[in-house]
Amino acid sequence: METPTWAEGLNDAQRRAVDHRDGPLLISAGAGTGKTRTLVSRLARMLDDGVPPERVLLVTFSRRAAAELTNRVGHLTDPLVAGQVVAGTFHSVAHRVLARFGTGLGLAEQFSVLGPGDSRDLFALVRAPVAADSQRRFPRTETVESVYGRTVSSQIPLEETVARTFPWCLDDVEGLRTIFADYTERKRAQHLLDLEDLLLYWRAAVRHPTVGPVLAGQFDHVLVDEYQDTNLVQADILRALGAHGLGVTVVGDDAQAIYSFRSATVRNILDFPDQFPGTTSIALEQNYRSTTPILGLANAVIAEAGEGFRKQLWTEEPGGVLPTLATCPDQQAQATAVSQTVLDHYEAGIPLRDQAVLFRTGHHSDLLEVELRRRRIPFVKYGGLRFLEAAHVRDLLAMLRIVQNPWDELAWVRVLHLARGAGPTSVDRILATLGVREPDRRGPDPLAAFCTDPGHCGGASGATADLTLLADALGACRAGSLPAGAQVETLATALDPMVRHRYDHPEARLADFDALARIAAESPSAGQFVADLTLDPPSSTGDLAGAPALDDDWLTLSTVHSAKGGEWGVVHLIHVADGAFPSDMATGDAESVDEERRLFYVALTRARRHLHLYAPLRYHHGDPAGRTDKHSYALRSRFLPPDVDSLLDLQVVRGADDVALPPVQAPLTSIVDSELGSLW
């Protein structure tokens, strides 16, 4: 028989995973072992076997990953069939379920989803009175939000969560409990769900004795990618679906579980065989990315982890150079060495876009960025402010949320404050006039009242013109005849004068609106557009702009967390010193050190051909460039003990003060003494 397209090029382990039929399947896929190809081929095989595509649920961790996977399945089978697979993130699938069945589950027909920034605004509102009553300094809004997210996602009671992760807040547990209750009450009153709510409602639905079988009955198979990055609630959802007899496949790598700060737990993948009796486990170990020397170092590093599925990565590709470990006198010498090595590879024919500098924490690249600019090496940095956290983007999305849910108080507060001259008093007066804060939702529609006569709402006289602009734009979008892209353009036009008045660099911000309008034009509705952006936000407008031009070239700077999933021909890993990597904030217990080790392993396995590690010996305090004498010394990372020296090309970088002088013919003392003698 002719080999199916989806089976071409699969190795033995991959083919076993693709062909597996009965019972739960765990694919333990090491870094660079063709995990995506295996998952794509397994799904393509299912469709070729006649499984209806609409009865397959594919869960990934980004909208882009879901689109890429289904597109690749389409190339192996039929694009039209592959396009009918239900694919998305946990949050987007949950939103789809609630949008369809929400009223039957007790939700309002019109509900809004709060993004992280919006949730933080609501926490700030409910925190204020509690903090005012406190007799001492109360935790910041960001900390309050983090405690809530960790408590809900880990399903660990508040007091225990605080004791484990936020011990400095132990005396504030009662205040936090009050805030969380008020936060929940306000969400419910305003038809708002946050990201945690989406998963909690989905879990409650699939666990329900009558609703659960109906929801699970929509699917025959569930496939989950990157399972090591799931939290407890997500694992509960999968177990509930699997309990109804669905075929369950998870793919992941416990050695790359690095997101505990987002409440992900490596226990989900480690305990999968126990939670799903009869599981078949298949390990993928043949690596298609890195050279043997790089894999040798990565294997040695991860072998020291406390627990996990033991995998030994290997490759059939011969050759390769040893990874280098450059010991640098200080941070400035490190920046110089990295910049020069980048240029050396560039001159050898490796473009900047095939090189990356990785680091544990965002500020670790500060001094390097100065040196790169000095040498005119272009770069782009990942791991900073996310796109949806930008104030002007949140302004526009708040307007779209009002169109979808006119009872959204947070969105109203944000939009009304945009009007020039509108202060807290006038905004409160407008909200009271519109009835947004009234618990009885049987009153008139606040948006209809606002659009009818924004001036009568009591806005300050200087704000009237802006309020009128906002009302006209909101009214045009509420009419229902404008597609999503046109709605964004209409709202952006109204916001133009307010953006120019309120923000610096207005042209760049208005250009972001253009990018949003382009992507909105591809969405079936404005509501779906807002949901997609909120549930799976781009990290920058670059994510909205598509692939760069062929002649674009820049060096990538990235935190290791943001680099997961990427690969480059050359990887430079900086600050390989104890206290920096592992972070001194993450060495309190063996579990934390293990996660730091996995993060280090992820960094090593991003490299295809060349891997350069840099370890500064001296860290200057107050001035990283070393212009002051205050400093401390660091040991190289504990993840590189002397045992691995044979796997490394050890190098020593000279600092600015380490200059070798040529030999002199005569001692300088004779010259100095002669000069002194001439004085007397």
Side-chain angles (χ1 to χ4, degrees):
M1 295 178 62
E2 183 178 350
T3 302
T5 304
W6 49 260
E8 294 176 356
L10 297 177
N11 62 39
D12 290 342
Q14 292 172 333
R15 186 62 190 264
R16 290 200 307 275
V18 169
D19 285 343
H20 176 78
R21 254 65 174 185
D22 299 323
L25 174 64
L26 167 62
I27 304 174
S28 180
T33 57
K35 171 196 68 133
T36 301
R37 171 64 193 279
T38 305
L39 185 59
V40 165
S41 296
R42 177 163 174 75
L43 180 50
R45 193 270 302 161
M46 288 181 179
L47 299 181
D48 268 4
D49 284 353
V51 176
E54 69 277 7
R55 298 192 61 78
V56 178
L57 174 60
L58 172 63
V59 184
T60 67
F61 271 80
S62 72
R63 182 176 62 249
R64 178 174 292 183
E68 178 188 352
L69 285 170
T70 52
N71 286 338
R72 290 180 60 174
V73 171
H75 289 310
L76 298 178
T77 55
D78 182 337
L80 294 178
V81 172
Q84 298 175 51
V85 170
V86 180
T89 66
F90 269 100
H91 289 100
S92 67
V93 175
H95 182 268
R96 186 180 311 185
V97 171
L98 298 182
R100 182 178 178 185
F101 302 105
T103 53
L105 301 173
L107 292 174
E109 183 176 353
Q110 294 176 315
F111 67 85
S112 299
V113 179
L114 296 174
D118 305 311
S119 296
R120 192 172 304 126
D121 288 344
L122 183 53
F123 273 118
L125 284 175
V126 298
R127 171 191 176 277
V130 176
D133 291 341
S134 177
Q135 299 302 309
R136 59 189 188 83
R137 185 168 65 91
F138 197 78
R140 296 180 307 165
T141 300
E142 292 80 1
T143 303
V144 172
E145 182 184 34
S146 296
V147 174
Y148 176 84
R150 182 64 67 94
T151 301
V152 174
S153 297
S154 66
Q155 296 289 280
I156 296 174
L158 171 61
E159 195 158 354
E160 187 177 347
T161 297
V162 171
R164 284 186 185 184
T165 315
F166 307 90
W168 62 91
C169 300
L170 273 172
D171 293 335
D172 302 303
V173 168
E174 287 306 315
L176 291 170
R177 187 173 285 118
T178 300
I179 290 172
F180 295 165
D182 192 13
Y183 172 77
T184 302
E185 182 180 347
R186 291 214 185 189
K187 284 188 299 179
R188 302 298 175 254
Q190 298 173 34
H191 311 319
L192 302 175
L193 300 181
D194 60 22
L195 298 180
E196 287 83 6
D197 284 330
L198 292 174
L199 299 181
L200 292 175
Y201 270 95
W202 189 15
R203 182 180 69 173
V206 295
R207 280 178 164 181
H208 195 275
T210 57
V211 175
V214 175
L215 294 179
Q218 298 178 89
F219 305 108
D220 296 325
H221 296 275
V222 181
L223 299 90
V224 183
D225 192 15
E226 303 287 5
Y227 192 63
Q228 78 280 351
D229 295 332
T230 53
N231 63 35
L232 185 61
V233 178
Q234 292 163 334
D236 286 345
I237 291 169
L238 185 65
R239 281 198 298 275
L241 290 172
H244 294 287
L246 280 66
V248 174
T249 298
V250 299
V251 184
D253 182 8
D254 60 286
Q256 298 185 68
I258 59 174
Y259 293 117
S260 67
F261 67 94
R262 297 179 185 168
S263 300
T265 172
V266 70
R267 298 290 351 152
N268 285 347
I269 192 168
L270 293 178
D271 296 341
F272 184 87
D274 297 327
Q275 295 171 349
F276 290 82
T279 291
T280 297
S281 297
I282 298 176
L284 305 184
E285 298 177 295
Q286 184 174 353
N287 184 278
Y288 296 94
R289 175 187 300 158
S290 306
T291 62
T292 294
I294 293 174
L295 296 179
L297 179 62
N299 287 333
V301 167
I302 202 62
E304 299 302 316
E307 63 177 338
F309 301 126
R310 298 305 178 190
K311 295 181 290 292
Q312 193 75 10
L313 300 183
W314 60 276
T315 179
E316 291 181 340
E317 184 175 339
V321 296
L322 288 177
T324 65
L325 173 61
T327 302
C328 307
D330 54 24
Q331 296 155 280
Q332 180 59 58
Q334 174 182 251
T336 302
V338 172
S339 300
Q340 188 57 53
T341 307
V342 166
L343 290 176
D344 289 344
H345 282 297
Y346 178 77
E347 292 300 325
I350 300 177
L352 297 178
R353 61 180 173 272
D354 199 25
Q355 300 189 55
V357 181
L358 307 183
F359 32 86
R360 171 64 181 83
T361 306
H363 67 81
H364 282 173
S365 67
D366 289 351
L367 203 60
L368 174 62
E369 292 174 42
V370 174
E371 183 67 17
L372 292 173
R373 290 189 184 99
R374 189 183 71 81
R375 295 178 180 238
R376 298 183 179 180
I377 301 175
F379 63 87
V380 60
K381 183 176 180 179
Y382 295 92
L385 179 70
R386 292 185 66 83
F387 181 59
L388 288 195
E389 294 174 2
H392 61 293
V393 175
R394 293 181 61 200
D395 295 339
L396 190 145
L397 293 182
M399 295 185 72
L400 285 170
R401 281 169 45 204
I402 289 174
V403 173
Q404 301 301 314
N405 175 13
W407 301 104
D408 189 335
E409 179 187 351
L410 278 178
W412 275 110
V413 169
R414 185 169 196 94
V415 169
L416 293 175
H417 271 294
L418 290 171
R420 287 164 287 187
T425 301
S426 58
V427 168
D428 284 344
R429 189 163 54 242
I430 295 173
L431 292 175
T433 302
L434 296 177
V436 172
R437 291 173 172 165
E438 295 299 323
D440 186 357
R441 295 291 183 251
R442 291 173 295 181
D445 184 327
L447 180 54
F450 181 68
C451 293
T452 300
D453 184 7
H456 92 282
C457 293
S461 58
T464 301
D466 287 345
L467 290 174
T468 301
L469 280 174
L470 295 172
D472 290 344
L474 289 168
C477 295
R478 185 65 182 277
S481 58
L482 292 179
Q487 288 192 38
V488 172
E489 291 176 354
T490 299
L491 299 177
T493 300
L495 286 175
D496 186 299
M498 286 161 263
V499 169
R500 295 183 186 277
H501 174 77
R502 177 178 289 265
Y503 299 118
D504 57 358
H505 309 299
E507 296 300 336
R509 297 175 186 269
L510 294 172
D512 286 347
F513 290 165
D514 292 337
L516 286 171
R518 286 194 297 272
I519 192 172
E522 301 174 1
S523 187
S525 69
Q528 189 62 50
F529 166 68
V530 174
D532 287 344
L533 275 185
T534 304
L535 302 177
D536 187 18
S539 60
S540 68
T541 46
D543 284 359
L544 305 177
L550 291 178
D551 57 350
D552 289 345
D553 198 16
W554 55 72
L555 178 69
T556 294
L557 307 186
S558 177
T559 62
V560 182
H561 284 104
S562 295
K564 185 174 177 290
E567 60 179 73
W568 294 269
V570 182
V571 167
H572 309 261
L573 181 60
I574 61 177
H575 292 288
V576 184
D578 248 40
F581 211 150
S583 168
D584 54 6
M585 301 294 290
T587 55
D589 54 54
E591 185 177 346
S592 298
V593 173
D594 260 2
E595 176 148 344
E596 289 289 295
R597 181 182 298 277
R598 295 194 295 266
L599 188 63
F600 193 77
Y601 170 83
V602 167
L604 301 183
T605 54
R606 300 310 94 197
R608 291 196 303 268
R609 294 289 175 268
H610 299 275
L611 175 61
H612 299 279
L613 313 177
Y614 305 82
L617 288 175
R618 188 167 59 243
Y619 281 82
H620 296 277
H621 304 308
D623 180 13
R627 291 183 291 266
T628 66
D629 196 40
K630 294 181 179 179
H631 65 271
S632 59
Y633 288 93
L635 299 174
R636 84 183 195 190
S637 174
R638 70 187 69 183
F639 301 144
L640 296 176
D643 295 351
V644 303
D645 281 359
S646 61
L647 305 175
L648 293 163
D649 176 8
L650 302 177
Q651 300 178 355
V652 177
V653 174
R654 291 186 179 275
D657 298 330
D658 300 332
V659 179
L661 295 176
V664 294
Q665 297 298 321
L668 294 183
T669 52
S670 61
I671 298 176
V672 173
D673 289 347
S674 175
E675 291 175 345
L676 286 174
S678 67
L679 297 177
W680 52 71

PDB file of all heavy atoms in Angstrom, residues 18-44:
ATOM      1  N   VAL A  18       1.477   8.174  16.471  1.00  0.00           N
ATOM      2  CA  VAL A  18       0.477   8.535  15.468  1.00  0.00           C
ATOM      3  C   VAL A  18      -0.549   7.421  15.295  1.00  0.00           C
ATOM      4  O   VAL A  18      -1.752   7.668  15.144  1.00  0.00           O
ATOM      5  CB  VAL A  18       1.169   8.852  14.125  1.00  0.00           C
ATOM      6  CG1 VAL A  18       0.152   8.972  12.995  1.00  0.00           C
ATOM      7  CG2 VAL A  18       1.986  10.142  14.245  1.00  0.00           C
ATOM      8  N   ASP A  19      -0.103   6.165  15.327  1.00  0.00           N
ATOM      9  CA  ASP A  19      -0.985   5.021  15.065  1.00  0.00           C
ATOM     10  C   ASP A  19      -1.794   4.577  16.282  1.00  0.00           C
ATOM     11  O   ASP A  19      -2.705   3.756  16.140  1.00  0.00           O
ATOM     12  CB  ASP A  19      -0.160   3.830  14.569  1.00  0.00           C
ATOM     13  CG  ASP A  19       0.289   4.005  13.128  1.00  0.00           C
ATOM     14  OD1 ASP A  19      -0.298   4.856  12.434  1.00  0.00           O
ATOM     15  OD2 ASP A  19       1.233   3.313  12.711  1.00  0.00           O
ATOM     16  N   HIS A  20      -1.472   5.088  17.473  1.00  0.00           N
ATOM     17  CA  HIS A  20      -2.155   4.639  18.690  1.00  0.00           C
ATOM     18  C   HIS A  20      -3.666   4.831  18.559  1.00  0.00           C
ATOM     19  O   HIS A  20      -4.142   5.883  18.150  1.00  0.00           O
ATOM     20  CB  HIS A  20      -1.642   5.408  19.900  1.00  0.00           C
ATOM     21  CG  HIS A  20      -2.356   5.074  21.174  1.00  0.00           C
ATOM     22  ND1 HIS A  20      -2.104   3.935  21.898  1.00  0.00           N
ATOM     23  CD2 HIS A  20      -3.347   5.727  21.843  1.00  0.00           C
ATOM     24  CE1 HIS A  20      -2.884   3.905  22.959  1.00  0.00           C
ATOM     25  NE2 HIS A  20      -3.653   4.982  22.947  1.00  0.00           N
ATOM     26  N   ARG A  21      -4.430   3.779  18.942  1.00  0.00           N
ATOM     27  CA  ARG A  21      -5.884   3.832  18.784  1.00  0.00           C
ATOM     28  C   ARG A  21      -6.626   3.928  20.108  1.00  0.00           C
ATOM     29  O   ARG A  21      -7.408   4.848  20.311  1.00  0.00           O
ATOM     30  CB  ARG A  21      -6.373   2.577  18.046  1.00  0.00           C
ATOM     31  CG  ARG A  21      -6.782   2.776  16.610  1.00  0.00           C
ATOM     32  CD  ARG A  21      -5.650   3.194  15.709  1.00  0.00           C
ATOM     33  NE  ARG A  21      -6.059   3.233  14.295  1.00  0.00           N
ATOM     34  CZ  ARG A  21      -5.236   3.476  13.299  1.00  0.00           C
ATOM     35  NH1 ARG A  21      -3.951   3.691  13.552  1.00  0.00           N
ATOM     36  NH2 ARG A  21      -5.668   3.508  12.059  1.00  0.00           N
ATOM     37  N   ASP A  22      -6.428   2.981  20.989  1.00  0.00           N
ATOM     38  CA  ASP A  22      -7.293   2.832  22.152  1.00  0.00           C
ATOM     39  C   ASP A  22      -6.601   3.297  23.428  1.00  0.00           C
ATOM     40  O   ASP A  22      -5.422   3.028  23.652  1.00  0.00           O
ATOM     41  CB  ASP A  22      -7.712   1.367  22.317  1.00  0.00           C
ATOM     42  CG  ASP A  22      -8.498   0.865  21.110  1.00  0.00           C
ATOM     43  OD1 ASP A  22      -9.283   1.669  20.573  1.00  0.00           O
ATOM     44  OD2 ASP A  22      -8.304  -0.302  20.719  1.00  0.00           O
ATOM     45  N   GLY A  23      -7.387   3.964  24.285  1.00  0.00           N
ATOM     46  CA  GLY A  23      -6.899   4.354  25.596  1.00  0.00           C
ATOM     47  C   GLY A  23      -6.171   5.680  25.579  1.00  0.00           C
ATOM     48  O   GLY A  23      -5.746   6.172  24.532  1.00  0.00           O
ATOM     49  N   PRO A  24      -5.992   6.290  26.755  1.00  0.00           N
ATOM     50  CA  PRO A  24      -5.289   7.572  26.862  1.00  0.00           C
ATOM     51  C   PRO A  24      -3.848   7.439  26.376  1.00  0.00           C
ATOM     52  O   PRO A  24      -3.217   6.394  26.530  1.00  0.00           O
ATOM     53  CB  PRO A  24      -5.346   7.883  28.357  1.00  0.00           C
ATOM     54  CG  PRO A  24      -6.425   7.011  28.903  1.00  0.00           C
ATOM     55  CD  PRO A  24      -6.445   5.787  28.055  1.00  0.00           C
ATOM     56  N   LEU A  25      -3.338   8.531  25.798  1.00  0.00           N
ATOM     57  CA  LEU A  25      -1.981   8.528  25.245  1.00  0.00           C
ATOM     58  C   LEU A  25      -1.211   9.726  25.784  1.00  0.00           C
ATOM     59  O   LEU A  25      -1.683  10.861  25.715  1.00  0.00           O
ATOM     60  CB  LEU A  25      -2.028   8.588  23.720  1.00  0.00           C
ATOM     61  CG  LEU A  25      -0.676   8.729  22.998  1.00  0.00           C
ATOM     62  CD1 LEU A  25       0.198   7.498  23.254  1.00  0.00           C
ATOM     63  CD2 LEU A  25      -0.879   8.937  21.495  1.00  0.00           C
ATOM     64  N   LEU A  26      -0.027   9.462  26.320  1.00  0.00           N
ATOM     65  CA  LEU A  26       0.897  10.503  26.751  1.00  0.00           C
ATOM     66  C   LEU A  26       2.115  10.463  25.846  1.00  0.00           C
ATOM     67  O   LEU A  26       2.836   9.463  25.803  1.00  0.00           O
ATOM     68  CB  LEU A  26       1.324  10.285  28.215  1.00  0.00           C
ATOM     69  CG  LEU A  26       2.522  11.109  28.707  1.00  0.00           C
ATOM     70  CD1 LEU A  26       2.230  12.602  28.642  1.00  0.00           C
ATOM     71  CD2 LEU A  26       2.908  10.700  30.138  1.00  0.00           C
ATOM     72  N   ILE A  27       2.345  11.542  25.103  1.00  0.00           N
ATOM     73  CA  ILE A  27       3.527  11.663  24.255  1.00  0.00           C
ATOM     74  C   ILE A  27       4.510  12.577  24.975  1.00  0.00           C
ATOM     75  O   ILE A  27       4.308  13.789  25.059  1.00  0.00           O
ATOM     76  CB  ILE A  27       3.178  12.230  22.863  1.00  0.00           C
ATOM     77  CG1 ILE A  27       2.106  11.369  22.189  1.00  0.00           C
ATOM     78  CG2 ILE A  27       4.422  12.313  21.992  1.00  0.00           C
ATOM     79  CD1 ILE A  27       1.600  11.951  20.872  1.00  0.00           C
ATOM     80  N   SER A  28       5.556  11.984  25.530  1.00  0.00           N
ATOM     81  CA  SER A  28       6.583  12.733  26.250  1.00  0.00           C
ATOM     82  C   SER A  28       7.662  13.133  25.243  1.00  0.00           C
ATOM     83  O   SER A  28       8.511  12.329  24.872  1.00  0.00           O
ATOM     84  CB  SER A  28       7.173  11.870  27.371  1.00  0.00           C
ATOM     85  OG  SER A  28       8.171  12.562  28.073  1.00  0.00           O
ATOM     86  N   ALA A  29       7.581  14.381  24.795  1.00  0.00           N
ATOM     87  CA  ALA A  29       8.387  14.823  23.655  1.00  0.00           C
ATOM     88  C   ALA A  29       9.519  15.735  24.113  1.00  0.00           C
ATOM     89  O   ALA A  29       9.275  16.852  24.585  1.00  0.00           O
ATOM     90  CB  ALA A  29       7.503  15.560  22.641  1.00  0.00           C
ATOM     91  N   GLY A  30      10.756  15.253  24.007  1.00  0.00           N
ATOM     92  CA  GLY A  30      11.901  16.074  24.342  1.00  0.00           C
ATOM     93  C   GLY A  30      12.048  17.257  23.404  1.00  0.00           C
ATOM     94  O   GLY A  30      11.438  17.312  22.329  1.00  0.00           O
ATOM     95  N   ALA A  31      12.860  18.233  23.795  1.00  0.00           N
ATOM     96  CA  ALA A  31      13.058  19.435  22.992  1.00  0.00           C
ATOM     97  C   ALA A  31      13.586  19.072  21.612  1.00  0.00           C
ATOM     98  O   ALA A  31      14.529  18.288  21.472  1.00  0.00           O
ATOM     99  CB  ALA A  31      14.038  20.369  23.695  1.00  0.00           C
ATOM    100  N   GLY A  32      12.953  19.633  20.576  1.00  0.00           N
ATOM    101  CA  GLY A  32      13.424  19.446  19.206  1.00  0.00           C
ATOM    102  C   GLY A  32      13.212  18.063  18.634  1.00  0.00           C
ATOM    103  O   GLY A  32      13.864  17.687  17.664  1.00  0.00           O
ATOM    104  N   THR A  33      12.283  17.283  19.201  1.00  0.00           N
ATOM    105  CA  THR A  33      12.099  15.895  18.756  1.00  0.00           C
ATOM    106  C   THR A  33      10.928  15.725  17.791  1.00  0.00           C
ATOM    107  O   THR A  33      10.471  14.608  17.569  1.00  0.00           O
ATOM    108  CB  THR A  33      11.890  14.959  19.959  1.00  0.00           C
ATOM    109  OG1 THR A  33      10.759  15.417  20.717  1.00  0.00           O
ATOM    110  CG2 THR A  33      13.129  14.936  20.847  1.00  0.00           C
ATOM    111  N   GLY A  34      10.430  16.796  17.225  1.00  0.00           N
ATOM    112  CA  GLY A  34       9.343  16.682  16.260  1.00  0.00           C
ATOM    113  C   GLY A  34       7.984  16.527  16.894  1.00  0.00           C
ATOM    114  O   GLY A  34       7.108  15.849  16.357  1.00  0.00           O
ATOM    115  N   LYS A  35       7.782  17.187  18.038  1.00  0.00           N
ATOM    116  CA  LYS A  35       6.509  17.104  18.753  1.00  0.00           C
ATOM    117  C   LYS A  35       5.352  17.576  17.879  1.00  0.00           C
ATOM    118  O   LYS A  35       4.318  16.910  17.769  1.00  0.00           O
ATOM    119  CB  LYS A  35       6.584  17.959  20.014  1.00  0.00           C
ATOM    120  CG  LYS A  35       5.271  18.124  20.737  1.00  0.00           C
ATOM    121  CD  LYS A  35       5.345  19.273  21.731  1.00  0.00           C
ATOM    122  CE  LYS A  35       5.469  20.571  20.990  1.00  0.00           C
ATOM    123  NZ  LYS A  35       4.633  21.652  21.389  1.00  0.00           N
ATOM    124  N   THR A  36       5.532  18.730  17.236  1.00  0.00           N
ATOM    125  CA  THR A  36       4.447  19.292  16.434  1.00  0.00           C
ATOM    126  C   THR A  36       4.140  18.391  15.247  1.00  0.00           C
ATOM    127  O   THR A  36       2.969  18.142  14.926  1.00  0.00           O
ATOM    128  CB  THR A  36       4.822  20.707  15.953  1.00  0.00           C
ATOM    129  OG1 THR A  36       5.082  21.536  17.092  1.00  0.00           O
ATOM    130  CG2 THR A  36       3.702  21.314  15.137  1.00  0.00           C
ATOM    131  N   ARG A  37       5.173  17.872  14.587  1.00  0.00           N
ATOM    132  CA  ARG A  37       4.957  16.973  13.445  1.00  0.00           C
ATOM    133  C   ARG A  37       4.172  15.738  13.891  1.00  0.00           C
ATOM    134  O   ARG A  37       3.263  15.268  13.184  1.00  0.00           O
ATOM    135  CB  ARG A  37       6.309  16.563  12.850  1.00  0.00           C
ATOM    136  CG  ARG A  37       6.206  15.457  11.790  1.00  0.00           C
ATOM    137  CD  ARG A  37       5.415  15.926  10.578  1.00  0.00           C
ATOM    138  NE  ARG A  37       5.041  14.835   9.697  1.00  0.00           N
ATOM    139  CZ  ARG A  37       5.846  14.274   8.790  1.00  0.00           C
ATOM    140  NH1 ARG A  37       7.080  14.714   8.654  1.00  0.00           N
ATOM    141  NH2 ARG A  37       5.410  13.307   8.013  1.00  0.00           N
ATOM    142  N   THR A  38       4.488  15.217  15.075  1.00  0.00           N
ATOM    143  CA  THR A  38       3.792  14.032  15.568  1.00  0.00           C
ATOM    144  C   THR A  38       2.325  14.331  15.849  1.00  0.00           C
ATOM    145  O   THR A  38       1.430  13.553  15.480  1.00  0.00           O
ATOM    146  CB  THR A  38       4.482  13.515  16.838  1.00  0.00           C
ATOM    147  OG1 THR A  38       5.871  13.277  16.565  1.00  0.00           O
ATOM    148  CG2 THR A  38       3.840  12.237  17.333  1.00  0.00           C
ATOM    149  N   LEU A  39       2.057  15.452  16.492  1.00  0.00           N
ATOM    150  CA  LEU A  39       0.682  15.820  16.802  1.00  0.00           C
ATOM    151  C   LEU A  39      -0.123  16.070  15.533  1.00  0.00           C
ATOM    152  O   LEU A  39      -1.271  15.624  15.400  1.00  0.00           O
ATOM    153  CB  LEU A  39       0.670  17.069  17.697  1.00  0.00           C
ATOM    154  CG  LEU A  39      -0.685  17.532  18.227  1.00  0.00           C
ATOM    155  CD1 LEU A  39      -1.355  16.443  19.042  1.00  0.00           C
ATOM    156  CD2 LEU A  39      -0.514  18.802  19.073  1.00  0.00           C
ATOM    157  N   VAL A  40       0.493  16.768  14.567  1.00  0.00           N
ATOM    158  CA  VAL A  40      -0.172  17.043  13.287  1.00  0.00           C
ATOM    159  C   VAL A  40      -0.482  15.731  12.564  1.00  0.00           C
ATOM    160  O   VAL A  40      -1.596  15.530  12.041  1.00  0.00           O
ATOM    161  CB  VAL A  40       0.707  17.957  12.419  1.00  0.00           C
ATOM    162  CG1 VAL A  40       0.231  17.960  10.970  1.00  0.00           C
ATOM    163  CG2 VAL A  40       0.711  19.375  12.977  1.00  0.00           C
ATOM    164  N   SER A  41       0.476  14.826  12.527  1.00  0.00           N
ATOM    165  CA  SER A  41       0.273  13.558  11.824  1.00  0.00           C
ATOM    166  C   SER A  41      -0.783  12.704  12.518  1.00  0.00           C
ATOM    167  O   SER A  41      -1.569  12.017  11.852  1.00  0.00           O
ATOM    168  CB  SER A  41       1.596  12.790  11.737  1.00  0.00           C
ATOM    169  OG  SER A  41       2.546  13.503  10.968  1.00  0.00           O
ATOM    170  N   ARG A  42      -0.802  12.741  13.847  1.00  0.00           N
ATOM    171  CA  ARG A  42      -1.824  11.964  14.565  1.00  0.00           C
ATOM    172  C   ARG A  42      -3.220  12.488  14.225  1.00  0.00           C
ATOM    173  O   ARG A  42      -4.146  11.706  13.974  1.00  0.00           O
ATOM    174  CB  ARG A  42      -1.574  12.030  16.073  1.00  0.00           C
ATOM    175  CG  ARG A  42      -2.650  11.302  16.885  1.00  0.00           C
ATOM    176  CD  ARG A  42      -2.193  11.010  18.313  1.00  0.00           C
ATOM    177  NE  ARG A  42      -3.272  10.447  19.111  1.00  0.00           N
ATOM    178  CZ  ARG A  42      -3.721   9.201  19.011  1.00  0.00           C
ATOM    179  NH1 ARG A  42      -3.177   8.364  18.150  1.00  0.00           N
ATOM    180  NH2 ARG A  42      -4.706   8.776  19.790  1.00  0.00           N
ATOM    181  N   LEU A  43      -3.384  13.800  14.205  1.00  0.00           N
ATOM    182  CA  LEU A  43      -4.681  14.377  13.878  1.00  0.00           C
ATOM    183  C   LEU A  43      -5.053  14.096  12.423  1.00  0.00           C
ATOM    184  O   LEU A  43      -6.207  13.761  12.115  1.00  0.00           O
ATOM    185  CB  LEU A  43      -4.663  15.880  14.152  1.00  0.00           C
ATOM    186  CG  LEU A  43      -5.946  16.659  13.878  1.00  0.00           C
ATOM    187  CD1 LEU A  43      -7.153  15.995  14.524  1.00  0.00           C
ATOM    188  CD2 LEU A  43      -5.805  18.094  14.376  1.00  0.00           C
ATOM    189  N   ALA A  44      -4.067  14.183  11.516  1.00  0.00           N
ATOM    190  CA  ALA A  44      -4.331  13.887  10.105  1.00  0.00           C
ATOM    191  C   ALA A  44      -4.745  12.428   9.929  1.00  0.00           C
ATOM    192  O   ALA A  44      -5.650  12.118   9.135  1.00  0.00           O
ATOM    193  CB  ALA A  44      -3.086  14.191   9.276  1.00  0.00           C
TER     194      ALA A  44
END
